[in-house]
Amino acid sequence: MSDFSDELRPAEPQAPTILAAERSRSNIGVEQLSQHLLSRGGFLERQSKILRVIENRPIFSKKNQLNLARPDRYQLSLARSKELRRLAVQHGWNQDDYRVAQYLVGEVSPYAIHNSMFITSIREQCNPEQMKHWLPLAENWEIIGAYSQTELGHGSNVRGIETTATWNNETKDFTIHSPTLTAAKWWNGSLGRTANHAIVIAQLLLPENGKLRSYGPHQFIVQIRDMKTNRPFDGIVIGDIGTKFGYSFMDNGYMLFKNFKVPHAALLSKYTGVSLDGKYIQPKNQAIVYGSMTFIRASIIMDSRLVLARACTVAVRYLSIRRQFADRDVGGPELSVLDYPTVQVRILPLLAATYALHYTGEAMFKLYWDTRADIEQKGDLSRLAELHAASSGLKACCTLLVADGSETCRRALGGHGFGGGSGLIPLVTDHLDKPTVEGDSWMISQQTAAYLIKRMTAAVSGKCSEPIDTQFATYLRTKQQQQSRHYDIYNNEADILAAFQDRVSHLAHKAYESRIVAKKSWTELMIDLHRLAIAHSESILIENFYNAAFGNQAPSPSIDTSTRAVMQDLFRLFALTTIDAKSTEFVLSGALDTEKLTILTTRVQQLMKAIRPHAVRLVDAWAIPDYLLDSALGKEDGDVYNALWKKAHLENPLNLEVFNPDFRSEEIVMGEGEQRARERMERLALGVEGHEQREGGKAKL
Amino acid sequence: MSDFSDELRPAEPQAPTILAAERSRSNIGVEQLSQHLLSRGGFLERQSKILRVIENRPIFSKKNQLNLARPDRYQLSLARSKELRRLAVQHGWNQDDYRVAQYLVGEVSPYAIHNSMFITSIREQCNPEQMKHWLPLAENWEIIGAYSQTELGHGSNVRGIETTATWNNETKDFTIHSPTLTAAKWWNGSLGRTANHAIVIAQLLLPENGKLRSYGPHQFIVQIRDMKTNRPFDGIVIGDIGTKFGYSFMDNGYMLFKNFKVPHAALLSKYTGVSLDGKYIQPKNQAIVYGSMTFIRASIIMDSRLVLARACTVAVRYLSIRRQFADRDVGGPELSVLDYPTVQVRILPLLAATYALHYTGEAMFKLYWDTRADIEQKGDLSRLAELHAASSGLKACCTLLVADGSETCRRALGGHGFGGGSGLIPLVTDHLDKPTVEGDSWMISQQTAAYLIKRMTAAVSGKCSEPIDTQFATYLRTKQQQQSRHYDIYNNEADILAAFQDRVSHLAHKAYESRIVAKKSWTELMIDLHRLAIAHSESILIENFYNAAFGNQAPSPSIDTSTRAVMQDLFRLFALTTIDAKSTEFVLSGALDTEKLTILTTRVQQLMKAIRPHAVRLVDAWAIPDYLLDSALGKEDGDVYNALWKKAHLENPLNLEVFNPDFRSEEIVMGEGEQRARERMERLALGVEGHEQREGGKAKL
């Protein structure tokens, strides 16, 4: 609609001009740096290719999605996911193409669990016969599967799940049953409305000597809905669990069984099984499965760097553009908000963290593939424990960093950060589950600590075998010789790394003394153990970043010398701000003396000043397309205010209606009358109940 | 709908039994403690009275609200707010009753700004004639007003707003105009769809010597919409700004003016004005207005304690009930999750913080009323600066504490914390704006620091006049005499308070040296100044909590000795965990030596162990009704799993439809056909644009 706002422009200076000037202040080669960060597997070319296909198709438009009712939000994501699969067929996309398409759409598809956990379970847990039957059906999406493990009453403690699968020797089949309400499967993605099959995790019960004996949780593949009607079979109750903090596009589901029969072949039997006469077949070595969980955790780190990079892209671009207040001492025009140290200190360390996450993500992938090769080619499992410990701790540390960091970026944007135009609403809400899923971050950190205590025990007894053992042995030697271990963190980057490693060694030794020597209870030690795991993870982040920024090997793909110099400042900033947040641990470990800390903030401010001119190019290098960003504040061209205006004035459905503000009338939409308004409002408030009243029927659950 | 799930119960032990057992482990008198915390102004009786009226009326049902499309969410809150006003008339509710009703409904009404800022402006800024005209209209809701200050381009820096109001000497009126797009009013609550009037803040321009001279921002009362049609007048463009992180119930609006004329009487003229011949009338002392901003900030602290109490209520009840994993060393049944120190350390300090916030909120109200009485009765403005500094810093400190704390509670709930049944989704999202609104928390902290530097300067020159000056003078004397100031924080609570005060004095002295002696730039010092303000605010929280827990005066209303003992442990826990988070500042200030910190975690764990049995009763005392909590996890009776089940299985509208998961078909709802699905999905994706296409017309903006 045309009105006088069409003629108005934002006040000078124009935002795109500011952003262009910001870019001209730095000589970082953005394209080169993008290649350095993102060229693996041809990611950048793939991203461009896919973007061209999807970004202008109407159903992939993101402009209205925050306005939608939750049921509609699911429907739209279902429609998009189906369209993506059709496009994949049409354009001959491979798995990587498809994954990038999903990344750009920016939501987790109702088919996501089918594509990951369901198909992975078939690949990794099926015997050859099962594989031959199920894999083509799943890969061709002839069937759609969910992964049903977590229950209403049990999440992290998988051994505690209540669903049972009882072998019937007469009928040669299993009965799947939910003995209680807390046995209800819960949270299972794609299960709520989409899937017609599921991998169901249930306690395997075999009759032995007239009693049932439990063999613990096992995987069963079960058809749960009719292929024609998509309604659940008798003996199964399924549904979607309802609204969530984010993830409104996904149908996380619940499911109960009442004596539901499945055939003998339903038990996935690559490593284990039940013979037709009801005897349990002991599992073979499942190390490789153990490995695949670490792969998921390594992937979470790699994904998380791009999540934080999105938040930083929005924050750095908008805060460079936004002006507020003149300098208190010298006056003049209003300053760029990113010139305030109180804003820099919230954003620039996070920008540095995106790089830290990157190099550790790369290192974890390498460790994963090396370990896997060792296992497959040499049957060598020796690095598996290290890999598992590192990936657990890093998952905890990195997901917390990214969840908190995204919200820190959002808040630093001031008022506009609270608005839909920030683009950070889905970013924050859809990723706040990450510290919880795939192992709660406060719980799996205990696994890392257990590993470190074990290694310290080995080091104490002089039996070194794993990489970290050497670090521990050195620490013990220095400690014994009462050598000074105060490091020069301001002038020597190798000392920074040493300080982080000493902190880990110190905490590991304390944990060893409490647990192994003084035999304290594990539960009592948990807080210290969590800190130890985070310290270890931060040390890994520092080590990999140090190697990239200061290592002897030239960075590959290469970056020029001046870009590497900025990278070195990012390393220093990440390291010093991490030290600042946990300074007492460094002091108590003997790595730093207190006096050193007095100039920490000064040094951090110097580094931020040095990095500041490069900030826009450093986020540009992450190559996040505007379509993915979906942010008026973070647009690549910087045209912030026109974009915010357009979103509010031309794309807001609430502005389509005029309302009656007179409290004496029950009328809501002007002219609709009181009776109609009253009925509408009660239906909105009561939901399903209101729906039943309106339809005069029962809900079709 | 009836199915086999009706017969199922959660596994033993039943959650209500667990919660009852939790309550029986403590002898805290919940009712007495509730009275102690909440009896001021008859709050508890009022809450019961109002609750009975609203909780069973259909439109106040909360069960469906997270499912709603954003436009519907606004409509429902408009309907509720109108109904609340009708109930207020019908039941003769006063302002306090009405406020409690709004608190229980748990959303901010589209009339909230009318009731607060709009009416307050009329009361405080109108001359008698204006008051006589506008106040009755506003109080009777004959007109509905918004408060239009913030603009697209300017928030915190009010002096930078671009909207102009130019005096026309010929026509004796003002022209309100938006010269740019960034001059658009933005964020203004109630403006988007509801209000027909607004207080508009504009730069007052008077013609002088053939030029326009600016007198800075002034308030104008302006009718913006037609009273019959509720459509904006010509020369005004208004609308709702769109989706937000929370607050979907509120129509935050934008507004542009094109040479819009308002009469001479539109300028609110109690303290200032323009004569009919265009001369500016200099403002009288506005100190009392300055005071009313501090009142809003004090109220934010009082409100925030109940926000955090809600999060803690959910967390403590659910985490007491939830069981996960047996003890690693001794086995046995699964432990209550709240028995894990890693969970306690996230929740119990926040529970302690609700009490800390309470006593400081009370103290701030007292300081506000005392100061106001001083001003009104004696014209004594001497405590105003202290009040302003305290309320600014505390607003910053407490809103950050509560925003982070609520999210910490949510995450500690594991998977169920991410679901709608937690009740924490609106709590977290609707309050994450608090660190930003009414003065960004990273900005207003600078005001507190400026005050403290001023006071330190006075103390250095031996001129003490305000309460904190004595503290500073003592610090300076001790420093000069090089006396040891290491405090015994584990055995002497007065020492805890002294340690917090020393930290403030130390940081204030450093700031004084940098700013006053070394004349460093303000901007360079901002990070240190923010830390100083937070340190001061934490010191105030500690002081008030200390006085309540250890002061010589008996608590009023009274609490029994054993409850006071628990309160003392809460004080210690709050103090020690606050020290833990900023330990280096305490060490560098000389208040603590590093060695003291080695046993900090041990001591914190002892305190948590002592508080743990009382946790449920300590949250019960906040008397948050189930209706307000709207949480399956936090229900007073503890019946968590049945409540979660009911919400998912019986109240989820997504479960009313059956979907077609076959990717080869564009059909979404089973049986609707591809054509209809395609059209529906495009409309959902495109929003307003899709709407226009469907209606064949233009949006009515």
Side-chain angles (χ1 to χ4, degrees):
Chain A
M1 202 184 77
S2 180
D3 58 43
F4 69 81
S5 69
D6 296 348
E7 304 144 25
L8 292 174
R9 300 180 67 200
E12 295 298 330
Q14 295 302 308
T17 316
I18 298 175
L19 206 57
E22 285 278 351
R23 288 185 173 117
S24 72
R25 290 165 66 196
S26 165
N27 58 358
I28 284 181
V30 169
E31 227 167 287
Q32 184 198 50
L33 187 52
S34 289
Q35 287 293 334
H36 173 72
L37 295 168
L38 300 166
S39 61
R40 192 155 57 82
F43 176 82
L44 288 166
E45 297 70 27
R46 198 184 307 282
Q47 175 166 278
S48 307
K49 176 182 83 176
I50 306 289
L51 195 58
R52 280 194 300 275
V53 176
I54 60 174
E55 86 178 315
N56 293 316
R57 287 176 187 261
I59 65 165
F60 293 112
S61 167
K62 298 179 182 178
K63 65 171 79 160
N64 196 46
Q65 63 196 26
L66 290 176
N67 283 302
L68 296 179
R70 203 255 145 169
D72 285 343
R73 189 69 188 81
Y74 163 75
Q75 294 197 38
L76 183 58
S77 87
L78 182 64
R80 287 170 173 172
S81 305
K82 289 166 71 158
E83 174 79 357
L84 276 190
R85 175 77 186 198
R86 290 190 295 267
L87 288 171
V89 172
Q90 187 187 331
H91 293 273
W93 288 350
N94 63 19
Q95 277 294 331
D96 287 337
D97 294 322
Y98 185 84
R99 213 168 292 131
V100 167
Q102 203 67 68
Y103 163 73
L104 291 171
V105 174
E107 64 196 15
V108 178
S109 136
Y111 298 95
I113 303 299
H114 172 81
N115 275 343
S116 54
M117 306 283 279
F118 184 71
I119 290 186
T120 305
S121 276
I122 291 175
R123 282 224 183 85
E124 296 188 345
Q125 300 291 334
C126 277
N127 65 29
E129 212 170 333
Q130 290 172 325
M131 179 100 78
K132 198 175 146 197
H133 177 73
W134 292 112
L135 194 59
L137 289 173
E139 287 186 332
N140 297 328
W141 289 26
E142 302 279 342
I143 61 171
I144 301 299
Y147 185 83
S148 282
Q149 176 175 301
T150 297
E151 295 178 354
L152 184 54
H154 284 87
S156 295
N157 184 12
V158 181
R159 306 214 136 259
I161 62 166
E162 300 180 67
T163 305
T164 54
T166 309
W167 173 250
N168 314 301
N169 229 342
E170 292 85 63
T171 47
K172 304 297 178 197
D173 54 16
F174 296 97
T175 300
I176 299 189
H177 187 63
S178 316
T180 66
L181 197 63
T182 38
K185 293 298 173 185
W186 200 267
W187 272 117
N188 313 159
S190 313
L191 177 70
R193 307 313 290 153
T194 316
N196 41 42
H197 286 66
I199 305 288
V200 176
I201 319 298
Q203 302 282 2
L204 175 64
L205 303 181
L206 301 185
E208 288 178 16
N209 309 322
K211 277 203 261 180
L212 288 172
R213 177 172 163 193
S214 175
Y215 284 86
H218 282 70
Q219 301 191 2
F220 296 81
I221 189 165
V222 182
Q223 184 177 344
I224 54 177
R225 285 187 169 104
D226 181 273
M227 296 301 289
K228 280 238 173 74
T229 65
N230 209 33
R231 286 177 188 276
F233 289 133
D234 282 349
I236 301 185
V237 164
I238 324 185
D240 172 278
I241 61 168
T243 58
K244 289 156 293 187
F245 200 76
Y247 264 63
S248 54
F249 35 73
M250 170 61 93
D251 57 323
N252 297 88
Y254 59 82
M255 178 161 59
L256 281 170
F257 297 93
K258 183 174 185 179
N259 297 322
F260 188 81
K261 297 267 194 173
V262 299
H264 175 258
L267 174 62
L268 301 191
S269 302
K270 179 169 180 180
Y271 296 102
T272 178
V274 171
S275 68
L276 278 174
D277 59 345
K279 295 281 175 298
Y280 187 62
I281 300 161
Q282 286 296 332
K284 297 167 210 156
N285 193 325
Q286 288 210 32
I288 202 73
V289 179
Y290 187 57
S292 98
M293 188 169 59
T294 66
F295 183 75
I296 291 174
R297 290 181 184 163
S299 308
I300 287 179
I301 300 165
M302 284 302 254
D303 293 349
S304 73
R305 86 199 200 288
L306 285 173
V307 173
L308 189 58
R310 268 161 78 181
C312 286
T313 300
V314 173
V316 166
R317 287 181 183 159
Y318 171 68
L319 294 171
S320 304
I321 290 165
R322 180 76 169 182
R323 262 109 182 96
Q324 206 81 271
F325 291 110
D327 184 281
R328 184 159 168 156
D329 294 316
V330 299
E334 291 185 300
L335 295 181
S336 156
V337 174
L338 195 55
D339 287 338
Y340 291 106
T342 36
V343 174
Q344 289 176 0
V345 78
R346 289 180 278 168
I347 302 303
L348 297 184
L350 292 171
L351 176 57
T354 60
Y355 288 83
L357 290 168
H358 172 75
Y359 294 113
T360 285
E362 290 284 345
M364 289 304 295
F365 267 127
K366 188 171 176 313
L367 180 59
Y368 172 76
W369 291 113
D370 289 355
T371 309
R372 200 174 161 122
D374 284 353
I375 295 170
E376 287 178 1
Q377 290 158 23
K378 304 182 251 169
D380 172 5
L381 303 176
S382 62
R383 300 202 73 182
L384 204 54
E386 179 198 354
L387 172 64
H388 178 67
S391 68
S392 302
L394 283 167
K395 188 271 175 187
C397 173
C398 299
T399 54
L400 291 169
L401 194 163
V402 172
D404 292 339
S406 312
E407 169 63 12
T408 297
C409 286
R410 195 193 63 67
R411 270 189 223 167
L413 304 176
H416 289 317
F418 199 71
S422 67
L424 295 192
I425 298 174
L427 192 78
V428 168
T429 55
D430 294 337
H431 291 89
L432 280 180
D433 66 319
K434 291 295 173 300
T436 308
V437 296
E438 304 297 347
D440 185 277
S441 293
W442 280 78
M443 200 199 68
I444 60 170
S445 58
Q446 308 288 316
Q447 300 169 9
T448 307
Y451 167 79
L452 294 171
I453 292 176
K454 211 165 155 188
R455 297 328 307 160
M456 182 55 83
T457 310
V460 167
S461 63
K463 290 181 204 132
C464 294
S465 59
E466 305 212 0
I468 197 150
D469 299 359
T470 321
Q471 174 189 322
F472 286 175
T474 310
Y475 171 84
L476 291 170
R477 207 166 42 242
T478 321
K479 191 179 159 76
Q480 211 170 18
Q481 299 164 352
Q482 296 187 307
Q483 288 175 3
S484 156
R485 288 172 297 108
H486 291 298
Y487 294 108
D488 183 4
I489 53 170
Y490 299 121
N491 301 300
N492 184 338
E493 290 73 23
D495 265 21
I496 292 180
L497 175 57
F500 274 87
Q501 290 177 336
D502 261 21
R503 168 185 171 226
V504 177
S505 304
H506 171 78
L507 293 174
H509 189 250
K510 263 185 59 187
Y512 158 81
E513 283 185 325
S514 300
R515 179 66 183 169
I516 306 296
V517 181
K519 308 216 181 302
K520 286 202 186 155
S521 99
W522 186 269
T523 303
E524 290 290 314
L525 293 175
M526 278 184 166
I527 294 176
D528 288 333
L529 298 177
H530 179 72
R531 287 179 181 161
L532 166 60
I534 297 294
H536 178 57
S537 309
E538 288 176 351
S539 172
I540 295 175
L541 287 168
I542 289 292
E543 182 176 2
N544 292 315
F545 201 170
Y546 174 80
N547 290 340
F550 293 93
N552 293 327
Q553 278 191 314
S556 160
S558 71
I559 50 174
D560 59 48
T561 324
S562 60
T563 303
R564 201 173 191 210
V566 177
M567 197 71 80
Q568 293 174 342
D569 276 343
L570 288 172
F571 167 80
R572 294 182 186 106
L573 180 63
F574 178 72
L576 294 187
T577 50
T578 304
I579 290 173
D580 196 19
K582 313 276 174 66
S583 45
T584 300
E585 286 183 15
F586 286 87
V587 172
L588 290 178
S589 74
L592 295 180
D593 55 30
T594 309
E595 275 310 300
K596 276 260 163 47
L597 298 172
T598 50
I599 59 160
L600 187 51
T601 301
T602 309
R603 186 70 187 118
V604 164
Q605 283 191 226
Q606 287 165 353
L607 287 166
M608 294 195 301
K609 213 170 215 173
I611 291 165
R612 168 71 184 85
H614 306 289
V616 172
R617 285 190 180 230
L618 286 170
V619 297
D620 285 351
W622 285 111
I624 318 267
D626 278 349
Y627 172 72
L628 171 58
L629 217 47
D630 190 32
S631 166
L633 302 186
K635 284 181 69 194
E636 195 181 354
D637 67 6
D639 201 8
V640 168
Y641 295 113
N642 285 312
L644 280 173
W645 178 260
K646 184 177 165 214
K647 207 166 172 61
H649 192 47
L650 302 179
E651 297 176 0
N652 180 357
L654 184 58
N655 290 330
L656 294 172
E657 306 272 18
V658 176
F659 301 96
N660 181 346
D662 183 349
F663 79 93
R664 286 159 296 212
S665 167
E666 284 190 69
E667 181 176 82
I668 297 299
V669 170
M670 201 63 113
E672 72 174 327
E674 297 198 55
Q675 170 78 15
R676 184 173 140 73
R678 190 180 312 121
E679 287 168 10
R680 278 203 311 118
M681 292 305 113
E682 292 196 1
R683 269 203 310 277
L684 289 182
L686 296 174
V688 172
E689 196 187 318
H691 183 90
E692 286 176 4
Q693 287 171 355
R694 181 182 47 162
E695 305 292 334
K698 283 285 182 190
K700 301 160 284 178
L701 292 170
Chain B
M1 202 183 77
S2 179
D3 58 44
F4 69 82
S5 69
D6 297 348
E7 305 144 25
L8 291 174
R9 301 181 69 201
E12 294 300 330
Q14 295 302 308
T17 317
I18 298 175
L19 205 58
E22 284 278 349
R23 289 187 172 114
S24 72
R25 291 165 65 194
S26 165
N27 56 358
I28 283 182
V30 169
E31 230 167 285
Q32 184 197 51
L33 187 52
S34 288
Q35 287 293 337
H36 174 73
L37 296 169
L38 299 166
S39 61
R40 192 155 56 81
F43 175 82
L44 287 166
E45 296 70 26
R46 198 183 306 283
Q47 175 167 279
S48 307
K49 175 181 84 175
I50 306 288
L51 194 58
R52 280 194 301 276
V53 176
I54 59 174
E55 85 178 315
N56 294 317
R57 289 177 186 259
I59 67 164
F60 293 112
S61 167
K62 299 180 183 178
K63 65 170 78 158
N64 196 44
Q65 61 196 27
L66 290 177
N67 282 304
L68 295 180
R70 203 255 145 170
D72 286 342
R73 190 68 188 78
Y74 163 75
Q75 294 197 39
L76 183 58
S77 89
L78 182 65
R80 286 170 174 172
S81 305
K82 289 166 72 158
E83 175 81 357
L84 276 190
R85 175 78 187 196
R86 290 190 295 267
L87 289 171
V89 172
Q90 185 186 330
H91 293 272
W93 289 349
N94 63 18
Q95 277 293 331
D96 287 338
D97 294 322
Y98 185 84
R99 215 169 292 130
V100 166
Q102 203 68 69
Y103 163 72
L104 291 171
V105 174
E107 65 197 15
V108 178
S109 138
Y111 299 95
I113 302 300
H114 172 81
N115 275 343
S116 55
M117 306 283 278
F118 184 71
I119 290 186
T120 305
S121 276
I122 291 175
R123 282 224 182 86
E124 297 189 346
Q125 301 292 331
C126 279
N127 64 30
E129 212 170 332
Q130 290 172 327
M131 180 100 78
K132 200 175 143 197
H133 177 73
W134 292 113
L135 194 58
L137 289 173
E139 286 186 334
N140 296 328
W141 290 26
E142 302 279 341
I143 61 171
I144 301 300
Y147 185 84
S148 281
Q149 175 174 302
T150 298
E151 296 178 352
L152 184 54
H154 285 87
S156 296
N157 183 12
V158 181
R159 305 212 136 259
I161 62 165
E162 301 180 66
T163 306
T164 55
T166 310
W167 173 250
N168 314 302
N169 228 342
E170 292 85 65
T171 47
K172 305 297 178 198
D173 55 14
F174 297 97
T175 300
I176 299 189
H177 187 64
S178 316
T180 65
L181 196 64
T182 38
K185 294 297 173 186
W186 200 268
W187 271 118
N188 312 159
S190 310
L191 177 68
R193 309 312 292 153
T194 317
N196 42 42
H197 285 67
I199 305 287
V200 176
I201 318 298
Q203 301 282 0
L204 175 64
L205 302 182
L206 301 184
E208 286 179 17
N209 310 322
K211 277 202 258 178
L212 290 172
R213 179 173 161 193
S214 175
Y215 284 85
H218 281 69
Q219 300 191 3
F220 296 81
I221 188 163
V222 182
Q223 184 179 343
I224 53 176
R225 286 188 169 102
D226 181 274
M227 297 300 290
K228 281 238 173 74
T229 64
N230 210 33
R231 286 176 188 275
F233 289 132
D234 282 348
I236 300 184
V237 164
I238 324 185
D240 172 278
I241 61 167
T243 56
K244 288 156 293 188
F245 200 75
Y247 264 62
S248 54
F249 35 73
M250 169 61 93
D251 57 324
N252 296 89
Y254 59 81
M255 177 160 60
L256 280 170
F257 297 94
K258 184 174 185 178
N259 296 321
F260 189 79
K261 297 268 194 172
V262 299
H264 176 257
L267 175 62
L268 301 191
S269 302
K270 178 168 183 182
Y271 296 103
T272 180
V274 172
S275 68
L276 277 175
D277 58 348
K279 295 280 176 297
Y280 188 63
I281 301 162
Q282 286 297 333
K284 298 167 211 157
N285 195 325
Q286 289 210 32
I288 201 75
V289 178
Y290 187 57
S292 98
M293 189 170 58
T294 66
F295 183 74
I296 290 174
R297 290 181 186 164
S299 308
I300 287 180
I301 299 164
M302 284 302 255
D303 293 348
S304 73
R305 85 200 200 287
L306 285 173
V307 172
L308 190 57
R310 267 161 78 181
C312 287
T313 300
V314 173
V316 166
R317 287 182 184 159
Y318 170 66
L319 295 171
S320 304
I321 290 165
R322 180 74 169 184
R323 262 106 181 97
Q324 205 81 271
F325 290 110
D327 184 281
R328 184 159 166 155
D329 293 317
V330 300
E334 291 187 299
L335 295 181
S336 156
V337 173
L338 195 57
D339 286 338
Y340 290 106
T342 37
V343 173
Q344 290 177 358
V345 79
R346 288 180 280 168
I347 302 303
L348 298 184
L350 292 171
L351 175 56
T354 61
Y355 287 84
L357 290 169
H358 172 76
Y359 293 112
T360 284
E362 290 285 345
M364 288 305 295
F365 268 127
K366 188 170 176 313
L367 180 58
Y368 172 77
W369 291 113
D370 287 355
T371 309
R372 203 176 158 119
D374 284 351
I375 294 170
E376 287 178 1
Q377 290 159 23
K378 304 182 249 168
D380 173 5
L381 304 175
S382 62
R383 298 201 74 181
L384 204 53
E386 178 200 353
L387 173 63
H388 178 69
S391 69
S392 302
L394 282 167
K395 188 270 175 187
C397 172
C398 299
T399 55
L400 291 170
L401 195 161
V402 172
D404 293 339
S406 311
E407 169 63 12
T408 297
C409 287
R410 196 194 62 69
R411 270 188 223 166
L413 305 175
H416 289 318
F418 199 71
S422 67
L424 295 192
I425 297 175
L427 192 80
V428 168
T429 56
D430 294 337
H431 291 90
L432 279 181
D433 67 319
K434 291 294 174 299
T436 307
V437 297
E438 304 297 346
D440 184 278
S441 294
W442 280 78
M443 200 199 68
I444 60 172
S445 59
Q446 307 289 315
Q447 302 168 9
T448 307
Y451 168 80
L452 294 171
I453 292 176
K454 212 166 153 185
R455 299 324 312 158
M456 182 55 81
T457 310
V460 167
S461 62
K463 291 181 203 131
C464 294
S465 61
E466 306 212 0
I468 196 153
D469 299 358
T470 323
Q471 175 189 322
F472 286 175
T474 311
Y475 171 84
L476 291 169
R477 208 167 41 245
T478 319
K479 191 180 158 74
Q480 212 171 20
Q481 297 164 352
Q482 297 187 308
Q483 287 176 0
S484 157
R485 288 171 296 108
H486 291 297
Y487 294 107
D488 183 3
I489 53 170
Y490 300 122
N491 300 301
N492 182 339
E493 290 73 24
D495 265 22
I496 291 180
L497 175 55
F500 273 87
Q501 290 176 338
D502 261 23
R503 166 186 172 224
V504 178
S505 304
H506 172 78
L507 292 174
H509 190 251
K510 262 185 61 187
Y512 159 82
E513 284 187 322
S514 302
R515 177 67 181 168
I516 306 297
V517 180
K519 307 214 181 303
K520 286 200 186 158
S521 100
W522 186 269
T523 303
E524 290 290 313
L525 294 174
M526 278 184 166
I527 293 175
D528 288 333
L529 299 176
H530 179 72
R531 287 180 182 160
L532 166 60
I534 297 295
H536 177 58
S537 309
E538 288 176 352
S539 172
I540 295 175
L541 287 166
I542 289 292
E543 182 176 1
N544 291 314
F545 201 171
Y546 173 80
N547 290 339
F550 293 93
N552 293 327
Q553 279 191 311
S556 161
S558 71
I559 50 174
D560 59 48
T561 324
S562 61
T563 303
R564 200 171 192 214
V566 176
M567 197 71 78
Q568 294 174 339
D569 276 343
L570 288 172
F571 167 80
R572 294 181 185 106
L573 180 62
F574 178 72
L576 294 187
T577 49
T578 305
I579 290 174
D580 195 19
K582 312 276 173 68
S583 45
T584 299
E585 288 184 15
F586 285 88
V587 172
L588 290 179
S589 75
L592 294 181
D593 56 30
T594 309
E595 275 311 300
K596 275 258 163 44
L597 298 172
T598 50
I599 59 160
L600 188 51
T601 301
T602 309
R603 186 71 187 116
V604 164
Q605 282 190 226
Q606 286 164 354
L607 287 165
M608 295 196 300
K609 212 171 216 173
I611 291 166
R612 169 68 183 88
H614 306 288
V616 171
R617 286 189 179 230
L618 286 169
V619 297
D620 286 350
W622 285 111
I624 318 267
D626 278 347
Y627 172 72
L628 172 58
L629 216 49
D630 189 32
S631 167
L633 302 186
K635 285 181 72 195
E636 196 181 353
D637 67 6
D639 201 8
V640 168
Y641 295 113
N642 283 314
L644 280 174
W645 178 259
K646 184 175 164 216
K647 207 167 173 59
H649 191 48
L650 302 179
E651 298 176 358
N652 180 359
L654 184 58
N655 289 331
L656 294 172
E657 306 273 16
V658 176
F659 300 97
N660 179 346
D662 182 349
F663 78 94
R664 284 157 298 211
S665 167
E666 283 189 69
E667 182 176 81
I668 297 298
V669 171
M670 202 64 113
E672 72 174 328
E674 296 199 55
Q675 170 79 13
R676 184 173 141 73
R678 190 181 311 123
E679 287 168 10
R680 278 203 312 117
M681 292 305 112
E682 292 196 1
R683 271 204 309 278
L684 290 181
L686 295 174
V688 172
E689 195 187 321
H691 184 90
E692 287 174 4
Q693 289 171 354
R694 181 183 47 162
E695 304 291 335
K698 283 285 182 191
K700 301 160 283 179
L701 293 171

